[in-house]
Amino acid sequence: MKKILVTGGAGFLGSHLCERLVEAGHDVLCVDNYFTGSKLNIEHLLNRPNFEAMRHDVTFPLYVEVDQIYNLACPASPIHYQWDPVQTTKTSVQGAINMLGLAKRVKARVLQASTSEVYGDPEVHPQPESYWGRVNPIGFRSCYDEGKRCAETLFFDYWRQHQIEIKVMRIFNTYGPKMHPNDGRVVSNFIVQAIKNEPITIYGNGSQTRSFCYVDDLIEGMIRLMESPAEITGPINIGNPTEFTMLELASTVLKLSGSKSELIFKPLPEDDPKQRKPDIDLAKSTLNWAPNIQLEEGLSKTIAHFRKVLAASNHPAQ
C-alpha cells in the first residue's frame, strides 16, 4: 500500500484516478480547490478508510508525507481556463513548483498531467513526443498551453538538477462519465445538446479532427506510466489515435442518443487546432499500453451518464 496524493482529485480525471487507486488498496489523499472539481465526483469514496479529501489550492505549498504525487490540478476546458487566465498559469507553474518541492522534500515520485495542447496548432501529424509544437505565446489559449509547457520545463529541470523521479504524460482528448456538463468541450457539448434536442453547435465547417480516448483507457495509461521504471520519464503521449472529424462525432452522438437535433455552424475560435492525433508508439513500446474502448461504446456510456445528470438537475431532491 502506498500513500498517494492526487491534486485535482475531485475533477473529471482525478476522481476516476482516485477511484482506481482506492480500489487497489492505496491510501489516497485527494486535494482540490473545487474550482472545476465537484464533491459529487468523490462522495462515494468519503466513507472509505483509505481515502481522504482536502480543500487546498496548489498555488500554495502543501506539507504532507506521501510516496507518489499525481499532479492533475488545473482547469482543462477553454471556458474554465480562460475565465481567470492568470490563475490558470499560476496553477500550472506555481502548482508544479510546489508539487516538485514536496516531491524533493519527501523523496516521492511525481507525475505531471501535461496536455496535447503543448503541440499547439501542429504542423506535424500525428504528433510524436519529439515534436516541439507550434504555440501562440500571447493568445487567448496561451495561459493553458504555455503554462503546461513551462510545467514540463520545471519537471525536467528538477529531474536534472535534483534527481527527482518524474513522469510527464501528455493527455489527448479524453471523455467519459463525470465530465462537467458545461465545460465547453466538444463531447460534452454535443451530448448535452443532443439529449435536450437543441441545435448541435459546430465551429468552422466541421472538418477539423480530434481523437477521443475513453477515460478508463486514459487512467490505465496514467497508472502504468507512474509504475514504470524510473528511467522512463516521458513525455509520453496517452490518447486514442483513431481520428474523427467534428461532423463524424456529431452524427455518431445523434445516432446513439436518438436525438432530433439539427446542426448549426459558427466561426472557428482563435488558435483552435485543425488536427489533433497522438503518435502512441512510445506508449506501446515502453508501457505496453494502447486504448481498448472504441468511440461508440464509450459514447454510449457517457450519454447514459449525462442523461442521469440532466434528469437529476431537472428534478432536484426536495
Side-chain angles (χ1 to χ4, degrees):
M1 184 178 76
K2 297 186 181 80
K3 295 178 181 177
I4 302 178
L5 167 63
V6 180
T7 73
F12 165 46
L13 295 181
S15 59
H16 281 278
L17 175 62
C18 285
E19 201 169 69
R20 274 286 301 271
L21 296 174
V22 167
E23 292 302 328
H26 298 297
D27 191 1
V28 178
L29 173 60
C30 163
V31 163
D32 207 296
N33 69 351
Y34 301 110
F35 173 56
T36 56
S38 170
K39 291 178 182 176
L40 292 175
N41 288 338
I42 56 169
E43 66 174 352
H44 65 295
L45 299 173
L46 292 173
N47 62 352
R48 299 289 291 268
N50 57 331
F51 179 79
E52 181 182 356
M54 176 192 296
R55 182 188 290 271
H56 181 81
D57 190 315
V58 295
T59 60
F60 297 94
L62 181 64
Y63 300 99
V64 292
E65 304 297 322
V66 292
D67 304 309
Q68 292 181 347
I69 304 165
Y70 287 86
N71 187 35
L72 276 60
C74 190
S77 74
I79 284 178
H80 292 145
Y81 68 63
Q82 290 172 13
W83 185 79
D84 189 345
V86 172
Q87 184 64 23
T88 295
T89 304
K90 279 178 159 181
T91 301
S92 286
V93 178
Q94 191 60 53
I97 291 169
N98 287 333
M99 289 307 109
L100 286 162
L102 173 60
K104 179 186 173 188
R105 183 178 69 81
V106 300
K107 296 180 170 54
R109 177 175 286 192
V110 57
L111 180 146
Q112 168 66 7
S114 191
T115 173
S116 61
E117 299 297 334
V118 300
Y119 299 120
D121 191 0
E123 298 161 300
V124 174
H125 193 75
Q127 294 82 56
E129 291 86 353
S130 58
Y131 177 52
W132 289 357
R134 177 172 172 263
V135 175
N136 175 3
I138 59 170
F140 288 106
R141 301 170 68 103
S142 306
C143 59
Y144 185 70
D145 303 3
E146 296 287 37
K148 289 288 191 179
R149 284 164 70 95
C150 185
E152 288 197 12
T153 301
L154 285 161
F155 265 68
F156 278 89
D157 284 338
Y158 266 78
W159 172 64
R160 284 184 286 257
Q161 190 171 337
H162 300 298
Q163 293 74 53
I164 304 299
E165 286 195 16
I166 66 162
K167 306 286 179 178
V168 175
M169 171 182 179
R170 290 178 178 163
I171 298 171
F172 281 69
N173 281 49
T174 307
Y175 70 99
K178 299 184 185 177
M179 290 183 83
H180 197 294
N182 303 315
D183 68 5
R185 298 190 223 191
V186 65
V187 171
S188 48
N189 273 1
F190 283 6
I191 290 176
V192 170
Q193 289 169 339
I195 290 173
K196 293 181 174 180
N197 288 307
E198 296 174 352
I200 287 182
T201 308
I202 303 236
Y203 293 97
N205 61 12
S207 64
Q208 68 270 37
T209 66
R210 294 290 185 273
S211 52
F212 301 101
C213 185
Y214 188 68
V215 62
D216 290 356
D217 284 334
L218 188 284
I219 297 301
E220 176 64 27
M222 185 179 287
I223 292 172
R224 287 194 189 195
L225 176 56
M226 177 62 97
E227 298 299 333
S228 64
E231 62 269 19
I232 298 174
T233 59
I236 291 186
N237 292 337
I238 299 290
N240 192 318
T242 308
E243 204 171 4
F244 295 91
T245 67
M246 296 301 94
L247 286 173
E248 288 172 332
L249 176 66
S251 65
T252 305
V253 169
L254 286 172
K255 179 181 79 172
L256 295 174
S257 63
S259 174
K260 300 179 175 63
S261 296
E262 298 178 348
L263 305 183
I264 59 171
F265 294 84
K266 292 188 176 180
L268 202 62
E270 182 183 341
D271 298 328
D272 194 58
K274 312 296 185 299
Q275 291 179 304
R276 190 56 64 69
K277 173 183 175 178
D279 179 326
I280 63 166
D281 287 349
L282 192 58
K284 286 179 177 177
S285 62
T286 59
L287 306 178
N288 192 28
W289 178 89
N292 293 315
I293 298 173
Q294 301 306 311
L295 186 68
E296 288 206 7
E297 179 187 353
L299 283 177
S300 296
K301 293 179 179 181
T302 311
I303 289 167
H305 167 77
F306 272 106
R307 285 196 194 280
K308 290 179 185 175
V309 170
L310 293 174
S313 65
N314 289 333
H315 304 286
Q318 298 299 312

